[in-house]
Amino acid sequence: MIDFWVNDEQVSTDEHEGVLVLDFLRKRMRRMGTKEGCKEGDCGACSVMIGELVGSRVEYKVVTSCLVPVGEVHGKHVVTVEGVGRAGRLNPAQEAMVTRGGSQCGFCTPGFIVSMSWWLLADRNPPTMDGFKRAISGNLCRCTGYNSIKRAGEDLIGDFGPAGKHVGIWDDDLRIKRLAERGLIPNYFVEMPTRLAAIAPQTVTPVDADYYIGGGTDLYVQKGEYIPGSQVSLLAKYPKMRGIREEEGFAIFGASTTFEEFGQSAIVRSWIPDIDQWMWLVASLHLRNRATLAGNIVNASPIGDMSNLLLALDAELVLVEGDSTRVVPLKEFYLGYKKFDKRPHEMVLEIKIPTPAAGSKIRFEKVSKRKALDIATVTSAAKIRIADDGKVETFSMSAGGVAAFPLFLKRTEDFLKGRTITPDIARSAVSLALQEISPISDVRGSSEYKTLLTRNFVIAHLMAVSDVTLEEFV
């Protein structure tokens, strides 16, 4: 049985594990406030919060329910738009949207309300417009033009910010209790840690499955209609595939580590202080809360955002089959389009990243038609270290969207190692990098445009660690 809570209602079901939370809510529970839009995680109309017991408190994430299998919410708290308000009264997000006219046709509105409510309930960052935009980055609206929604966010910042009437709720782990005391959320949120602790954990038995589901961000889009009638294995249930730790010069990330967990990791943030800037370019908060590192790697898409970053970080994959494990450098993993060095029954267990040497600079670049929630035209990452003598010690660079798989620029790295970056050396490195790529024209851009973007990315990486000016590349 799958046992969980939906808002203030306990649910126990023998539903197939692979059924989507979206379908369960609408078809089984008749909670029609959660809308079915694109059913690909792009529009956010089906957004819900999912709370998981961590220690003595419940930590909530906002996700698109069209990508979450119901078997994964055992022992968790699912919050829909019907569950964020108080009896007979609107919650602050709803009031702000009404006041500012943030809803027209109304189809997308429940998703916005859930995302905004999550922001007030669970986001650990101070209430700023950047935080508000991050919270709703996975919600699309085609009616309002967004300005009225933005004004609703400004009202909430005014109420909950430093000079607002609700100042102080952001300061500590008592936020949920304080929100409930002030009547801003239903009281049942306070009781949820006790309620979830009372649910017995499931026994997870490894199975030979038709579908192994990680984040589901690609699998449910491609095979969603087949999954509920098939044997599935939910990888998030396996503790060995979760968690982040440091060990003997490596940071080790479980295969089920999500993009957002990676970006929020204290380890990663110590390597890449401006990681928030780069993560803005990767999907949306809702999708980053689902998409997994291993899923992005094994998908083998040439434009995989995280696989290209992991390439530049010299990541290694720990592959497991039964009791046997082996380690494969990510640089050697890709063999061709959608082909890789993985045996049929092997699975990615962990991703190991060597701790970057002191002074290493890690960069990420991406161009897409939209800033957030979009597929890259070209993406690139680089890890660069200049030694004390001014020579290149490390230049590890990837390029996505310019080959049949995420590409590591090996020849460019070999050329730059041990050299001082002068204008001539920099121009030669750019020229060599362009010889390594083989872009094709498609709906995201022409081969010429992708070549130009790659050139610009190499220049940006080199300028970040040298005195070579942009004019000197011309």
Side-chain angles (χ1 to χ4, degrees):
M1 295 295 288
I2 304 169
D3 297 309
F4 58 103
W5 285 82
V6 174
N7 301 327
D8 198 20
E9 178 181 349
Q10 188 166 12
V11 177
S12 184
T13 179
D14 59 0
E15 189 69 72
H16 187 284
E17 282 195 319
V19 167
L20 289 168
V21 169
L22 169 64
D23 291 335
F24 185 84
L25 290 171
R26 290 181 60 84
K27 296 177 182 179
R28 302 293 186 270
M29 298 189 70
R30 308 303 293 173
R31 297 298 176 89
M32 310 305 281
T34 304
K35 304 302 183 185
E36 180 180 329
C38 66
K39 214 167 187 179
E40 295 185 356
D42 282 344
C43 73
C46 68
S47 297
V48 299
M49 285 187 268
I50 295 181
E52 181 175 8
L53 188 63
V54 179
S56 61
R57 60 193 299 267
V58 178
E59 294 188 358
Y60 290 90
K61 297 179 180 179
V62 62
V63 298
T64 47
S65 59
C66 67
L67 299 175
V68 184
V70 72
E72 199 175 307
V73 298
H74 177 85
K76 297 181 182 179
H77 182 208
V78 178
V79 184
T80 71
V81 68
E82 293 94 342
V84 299
R86 300 149 290 166
R89 297 180 62 188
L90 302 179
N91 83 353
Q94 293 168 320
E95 290 176 347
M97 287 285 274
V98 169
T99 300
R100 292 299 190 171
S103 177
Q104 289 189 32
C105 83
F107 195 86
C108 70
T109 306
F112 273 97
I113 294 299
V114 169
S115 299
M116 293 161 69
S117 299
W118 169 84
W119 176 57
L120 299 178
L121 175 72
D123 191 1
R124 296 181 179 180
N125 299 310
T128 63
M129 183 49 63
D130 281 345
F132 175 73
K133 290 179 179 178
R134 172 176 175 266
I136 64 168
S137 63
N139 299 95
L140 300 181
C141 177
R142 289 295 177 256
C143 294
T144 68
Y146 296 106
N147 274 334
S148 55
I149 297 173
K150 179 182 175 182
R151 286 191 287 269
E154 291 170 346
D155 286 352
L156 292 170
I157 293 168
D159 285 345
F160 290 88
K165 58 185 176 182
H166 300 303
V167 65
I169 65 163
W170 301 83
D171 295 341
D172 54 36
D173 291 343
L174 296 175
R175 183 189 313 158
I176 289 179
K177 182 179 179 181
R178 291 176 176 178
L179 282 168
E181 288 173 346
R182 300 183 190 192
L184 300 175
I185 59 172
N187 287 325
Y188 72 79
F189 274 90
V190 179
E191 302 168 10
M192 205 50 61
T194 302
R195 294 181 181 183
L196 297 185
I199 299 177
Q202 287 180 323
T203 300
V204 182
T205 304
V207 296
D208 187 10
D210 299 312
Y211 298 104
Y212 295 87
I213 303 173
T217 55
D218 189 65
L219 188 58
Y220 271 108
V221 175
Q222 301 295 331
K223 302 289 185 179
E225 66 270 34
Y226 304 111
I227 291 174
S230 305
Q231 182 71 51
V232 301
S233 178
L234 306 183
L235 302 182
K237 291 188 172 185
Y238 293 89
K240 289 185 178 180
M241 289 188 170
R242 301 184 69 179
I244 301 171
R245 68 186 191 277
E246 289 184 290
E247 189 176 287
E248 298 177 352
F250 285 87
I252 302 176
F253 301 82
S256 294
T257 300
T258 67
F259 288 12
E260 188 68 8
E261 288 169 343
F262 179 88
Q264 294 297 321
S265 162
I267 298 171
V268 173
R269 297 174 84 83
S270 71
W271 302 344
I272 317 174
D274 48 3
I275 185 70
D276 285 339
Q277 174 186 345
W278 312 127
M279 294 303 286
W280 258 111
L281 307 178
V282 178
S284 67
L285 174 66
H286 302 60
L287 290 176
R288 291 197 302 273
N289 277 330
R290 289 297 303 164
T292 65
L293 297 186
N296 202 236
I297 292 168
V298 175
N299 179 275
S301 169
I303 48 176
D305 291 314
M306 298 305 292
S307 55
N308 277 283
L309 177 57
L310 294 171
L311 265 177
L313 291 173
D314 300 311
E316 300 175 355
L317 307 182
V318 179
L319 302 175
V320 61
E321 181 178 1
D323 296 328
S324 176
T325 62
R326 66 188 181 105
V327 178
V328 177
L330 187 55
K331 294 174 183 177
E332 301 172 12
F333 186 65
Y334 297 111
L335 307 176
Y337 180 69
K338 297 289 185 176
K339 296 180 180 178
F340 33 76
D341 182 10
K342 188 183 81 67
R343 298 162 189 161
H345 295 288
E346 281 185 322
M347 299 184 68
V348 179
L349 178 66
E350 296 174 334
I351 298 99
K352 299 176 62 177
I353 302 176
T355 303
S360 297
K361 189 172 186 63
I362 299 168
R363 305 190 74 258
F364 180 79
E365 297 282 355
K366 176 179 176 178
V367 166
S368 55
K369 293 184 178 181
R370 292 193 306 239
K371 179 178 180 180
L373 192 56
D374 203 6
I375 297 170
T377 300
V378 177
T379 185
S380 175
K383 180 178 70 174
I384 311 166
R385 187 177 189 278
I386 307 299
D388 293 339
D389 61 3
K391 296 181 179 179
V392 176
E393 182 177 286
T394 301
F395 188 84
S396 182
M397 177 178 167
S398 68
V402 294
F405 48 85
L407 182 66
F408 181 75
L409 301 183
K410 175 63 175 171
R411 291 168 58 194
T412 306
E413 177 189 45
D414 290 343
F415 171 77
L416 283 170
K417 274 188 174 180
R419 298 178 186 266
T420 301
I421 302 177
T422 63
D424 287 341
I425 293 297
R427 287 192 292 269
S428 296
V430 172
S431 177
L432 186 57
L434 297 186
Q435 295 174 34
E436 294 197 69
I437 66 174
S438 52
I440 62 172
S441 298
D442 58 23
V443 295
R444 288 180 291 276
S446 66
S447 61
E448 293 81 7
Y449 180 51
K450 294 177 181 180
T451 299
L452 176 62
L453 289 177
T454 305
R455 172 184 179 272
N456 290 348
F457 290 165
V458 179
I459 290 173
H461 294 324
L462 292 172
M463 287 179 60
V465 294
S466 74
D467 294 326
V468 180
T469 66
L470 182 60
E471 291 74 16
E472 290 174 310
F473 281 97
V474 178

